[in-house]
Amino acid sequence: MVEFAPFLMVVAIVGIVSFTRLQRAKHGIVRNRHGDEMPIRDPDADRLRDELRALKERVAVLERIATDAHSRGSELEREIDALRRID
């Protein structure tokens, strides 16, 4: 068993390194040939990110319209009540 110890240690190290690389790739991180970590660029993810940004902008516009319409509506109600009191 002692003669297999270095071999088992090498196999364990290779297994750990391989597992770590697979986990990084699974989460979108790879290393280039210079050793720098880089995220994997996915065109679908970029498209979805752009679409989400556009939807957030639209929701913000709709929220602004809803709140402005509400304040205008209450203002209009006050003006109508003021006209009713005059009659």
Side-chain angles (χ1 to χ4, degrees):
M1 184 69 178
V2 175
E3 56 202 45
F4 289 116
F7 175 73
L8 291 176
M9 186 173 57
V10 169
V11 169
I13 291 171
V14 169
I16 291 169
V17 169
S18 298
F19 177 76
T20 303
R21 285 190 180 178
L22 285 173
Q23 289 299 312
R24 286 179 175 269
K26 179 180 175 182
H27 294 290
I29 301 171
V30 293
R31 290 185 187 246
N32 62 9
R33 63 182 177 185
H34 302 293
D36 300 326
E37 292 184 354
M38 300 173 46
I40 296 174
R41 300 299 294 178
D42 184 11
D44 287 336
D46 291 340
R47 181 184 56 79
L48 290 172
R49 198 173 292 114
D50 292 340
E51 187 174 338
L52 181 62
R53 187 178 303 114
L55 288 173
K56 283 183 178 182
E57 289 174 5
R58 292 178 72 182
V59 167
V61 169
L62 290 173
E63 286 175 345
R64 190 171 55 246
I65 290 171
T67 57
D68 287 350
H70 178 68
S71 65
R72 285 187 205 142
S74 62
E75 196 175 299
L76 183 60
E77 288 175 20
R78 277 188 248 123
E79 289 178 13
I80 290 172
D81 286 339
L83 290 174
R84 284 184 186 156
R85 281 186 236 141
I86 293 175
D87 291 334

